[in-house]
Amino acid sequence: MNKSDTERMSGMLMSLGMEETDNEKEADLLIINTCSIRQLAEDKAFSKLGVWGKLKKARPEIKIGICGCVAQVKAKEIKKRAPYVDLIFGTHNIYELPKLVEELKNTDERIISVTNNPYVPESDYPINRAKSVNAWIPIMEGCNNFCTYCVVPFTRGRERSRRIEDIVKEAKKSLEQGYKEITLLGQNVDSYGKDFNDGQTTLANLLRELNKIEGKFRLRFVTSYPTDITDDLINAVKECDKVAKYFHIPMQSGNTEVLKAMNRRYTREQYGEIIKKLRKSYKEVSITSDFIAGFPGETEEQFNDTLSAIEKFELDYSNTAAYSPRPNTKAAKMTDLFLSEKVKSDRLFRLNECNKKAVMHSNQKCHNKIYEVLVEDIKTEDGERTLTARTEGNKIVHIKSDKNNIGDFLNVKITGSNVWCLFGEVV
Ligand code: SAH
Ligand code: SF4
């Protein structure tokens, strides 16, 4: 979501006549788009601001800005802690950027624009997309769930969906520009359209509309909330040939009591039922997840349930993190239940080892099978050309080939794998 917001802000700045530079020392305007999902991300943002503060000492005429989730929840702290910052704007204010930059030119005052009234233009706005095969398209923003560990509802606000027509228009444009894959983004993507309350604006119907667009391309959507995956969505994914048979469905913990303390609205068993249903519905489907180790009060036994869930549900890959207390959240107030850093890092280590095993198992299941892959990158080493491509199930494949190029769809036979990737040959 942040990458996508950055592409949009970059597009707006370029439409004002600005140019991008890779060298921060020569920039006239520096803006950092921040993430606050965990403390580490926030610390990185402040450390980068510190580096830029030094640049400004040497070149006082440059302007420094900070936006995104940290700016949304910590504007006052940033104002005090980083006096060299000229512009602070929140996640709801990114489309004001052209106006804010104009104001910056005409004043020496610091500008702060952090509101709780999201404004999103309905139609065209310039986007400077990353040079890749994949176009990110946000279809909704915000979250109504309030999981007790999560800062997102505070940084991104409540759920707001974009209109199907606007998304289709943006998708068509990105395909015309040569993108071969579209990833639909939302913090809780299968709640898409609930705010329209018309029975028609649903993720399933959006996929059906996008699938009608002509040409060869692939569609994905992230992130799904386990109990919001409807039968209609499962059917739409089946019907639509362009939609990857791939679901990212974070479980967070394999233990029902911990899930309850996290305010997740499902049990271990219910999560298992959803996975079973998905595996039954498709010839092959890839399912990935997220897990948190060391939630306040988590016992060793409860943590072991997380390890066994990864194995039992044969998850293809999981993102993992140690619990990090976040501002405004309920779990951050459970201080007497906090686990020590040592316990958390030890559990995270074991979680990662368990995940690696699951990934190896999942990769080995691909051996000798043929998959359609999309080429994303090419590297040449010692005269040998290796393509990096991605399967429908979101697995990376390395392929030796002289003929093929970025953006090609290829049929590839999987000849081997390790924990990071698959190896294949063109058939
Ligand atoms: N909407 C998605 C998750 C979005 S946040 C869902 O409901 O599953 C992305 C991931 O960051 C989460 O899945 C969670 O695993 C992790 N995360 C969020 N808050 C965290 C925290 N306080 N500490 C550690 N990890 C966290
Ligand atoms: Fe955060 Fe996801 Fe829970 Fe929303 S559903 S509060 S984004 S973890």
Side-chain angles (χ1 to χ4, degrees):
M1 191 63 86
N2 276 38
K3 279 186 190 174
S4 165
D5 282 347
T6 300
E7 291 178 345
R8 276 146 229 265
M9 287 189 275
S10 172
M12 286 183 252
L13 294 176
M14 287 169 87
S15 74
L16 296 177
M18 295 189 180
E19 279 173 41
E20 238 178 355
T21 171
D22 288 335
N23 180 0
E24 58 188 21
K25 288 190 183 138
E26 67 179 32
D28 302 305
L29 172 66
L30 288 153
I31 299 178
I32 183 159
N33 186 10
T34 59
C35 170
S36 76
I37 199 76
R38 289 187 283 274
Q39 187 60 40
L40 184 66
E42 196 175 311
D43 294 345
K44 279 186 190 167
F46 278 106
S47 121
K48 183 53 112 179
L49 273 187
V51 172
W52 288 356
K54 285 185 193 130
L55 287 181
K56 191 163 174 147
K57 271 203 180 128
R59 286 177 61 211
E61 70 281 10
I62 67 171
K63 299 282 185 192
I64 297 177
I66 177 166
C67 64
C69 292
V70 179
Q72 184 73 32
V73 287
K74 293 208 166 156
K76 271 193 200 143
E77 187 184 326
I78 298 167
K79 195 176 160 203
K80 250 209 243 146
R81 203 169 144 183
Y84 43 82
V85 168
D86 304 286
L87 174 63
I88 304 172
F89 59 109
T91 54
H92 298 306
N93 307 87
I94 72 163
Y95 293 96
E96 283 175 21
L97 184 57
K99 182 182 86 142
L100 297 172
V101 168
E102 274 311 308
E103 281 173 28
L104 260 192
K105 279 189 200 159
N106 302 319
T107 178
D108 286 328
E109 301 281 309
R110 308 169 77 189
I111 299 175
I112 301 178
S113 186
V114 178
T115 60
N116 285 315
N117 312 314
Y119 162 69
V120 181
E122 283 189 350
S123 54
D124 268 354
Y125 38 81
I127 306 170
N128 177 28
R129 292 193 189 277
K131 286 170 194 64
S132 92
V133 294
N134 177 70
W136 305 108
I137 303 192
I139 61 168
M140 65 179 302
E141 203 182 340
C143 183
N144 296 352
N145 278 335
F146 290 94
C147 302
T148 55
Y149 52 82
C150 184
V151 77
V152 168
F154 305 96
T155 58
R156 294 275 178 178
R158 295 301 81 72
E159 286 169 8
R160 290 133 7 236
S161 305
R162 293 175 68 196
R163 296 188 311 178
I164 290 188
E165 306 90 276
D166 294 328
I167 298 166
V168 170
K169 200 166 154 195
E170 191 178 321
K172 281 187 177 158
K173 200 166 168 185
S174 68
L175 294 168
E176 279 159 18
Q177 288 168 340
Y179 288 88
K180 300 286 180 184
E181 184 177 73
I182 288 172
T183 304
L184 306 176
L185 299 174
Q187 273 87 16
N188 196 5
V189 85
D190 31 25
S191 283
Y192 168 74
K194 279 189 185 160
D195 44 333
F196 281 76
N197 205 12
D198 60 1
Q200 286 306 308
T201 311
T202 62
L203 179 59
N205 287 343
L206 173 64
L207 292 176
R208 290 183 179 110
E209 285 308 308
L210 291 168
N211 198 63
K212 286 183 198 156
I213 303 176
E214 283 190 15
K216 175 84 182 155
F217 66 94
R218 195 184 258 171
L219 274 165
R220 297 182 187 282
F221 53 91
V222 281
T223 297
S224 293
Y225 190 92
T227 41
D228 290 341
I229 298 175
T230 60
D231 287 347
D232 194 30
L233 177 63
I234 295 176
N235 289 334
V237 171
K238 199 183 221 166
E239 286 159 34
C240 298
D241 59 318
K242 289 166 180 155
V243 178
K245 306 315 175 241
Y246 166 72
F247 289 80
H248 181 61
I249 323 170
M251 187 183 190
Q252 311 299 358
S253 165
N255 177 275
T256 299
E257 284 159 42
V258 176
L259 288 170
K260 202 162 171 214
M262 287 175 160
N263 194 30
R264 301 287 287 184
R265 294 175 276 106
Y266 52 88
T267 61
R268 175 187 173 98
E269 289 69 32
Q270 282 167 329
Y271 185 88
E273 287 304 315
I274 293 153
I275 302 302
K276 214 164 147 189
K277 196 170 182 181
L278 291 174
R279 298 239 191 259
K280 254 200 195 153
S281 304
Y282 311 102
K283 211 170 91 206
E284 192 167 325
V285 58
S286 206
I287 301 171
T288 57
S289 188
D290 297 351
F291 287 96
I292 298 175
F295 182 79
E298 181 190 64
T299 65
E300 184 60 22
E301 257 184 344
Q302 290 171 331
F303 171 69
N304 283 332
D305 283 347
T306 290
L307 301 183
S308 74
I310 292 180
E311 208 177 312
K312 180 163 186 216
F313 304 135
E314 297 192 59
L315 298 172
D316 292 282
Y317 170 82
S318 298
N319 297 308
T320 60
Y323 169 72
S324 166
R326 307 312 301 133
N328 305 323
T329 60
K330 271 196 178 161
K333 296 186 183 87
M334 306 175 185
T335 45
D336 46 342
L337 295 176
F338 278 7
L339 304 178
S340 70
E341 289 306 317
K342 185 171 177 315
V343 169
K344 286 197 287 182
S345 67
D346 171 61
R347 286 189 190 166
L348 181 60
F349 177 80
R350 283 186 283 151
L351 183 56
N352 287 336
E353 289 304 302
C354 176
N355 181 36
K356 269 191 215 163
K357 255 199 215 158
V359 173
M360 296 262 264
H361 177 64
S362 158
N363 285 354
Q364 277 159 9
K365 282 195 286 189
C366 302
H367 291 188
N368 298 317
K369 289 189 186 160
I370 293 171
Y371 290 95
E372 185 181 66
V373 302
L374 169 60
V375 180
E376 291 186 349
D377 200 8
I378 300 174
K379 286 213 167 61
T380 307
E381 224 175 61
D382 302 328
E384 210 171 32
R385 222 162 152 265
T386 306
L387 312 177
T388 301
R390 201 178 285 268
T391 65
E392 233 186 277
N394 215 23
K395 288 180 187 289
I396 296 285
V397 192
H398 289 308
I399 309 149
K400 302 253 180 283
S401 171
D402 289 332
K403 294 188 201 104
N404 306 99
N405 286 311
I406 293 175
D408 286 351
F409 282 93
L410 305 173
N411 285 322
V412 162
K413 184 174 177 183
I414 304 305
T415 54
S417 65
N418 59 24
V419 71
W420 316 113
C421 67
L422 304 174
F423 301 100
E425 55 192 28
V426 182
V427 292

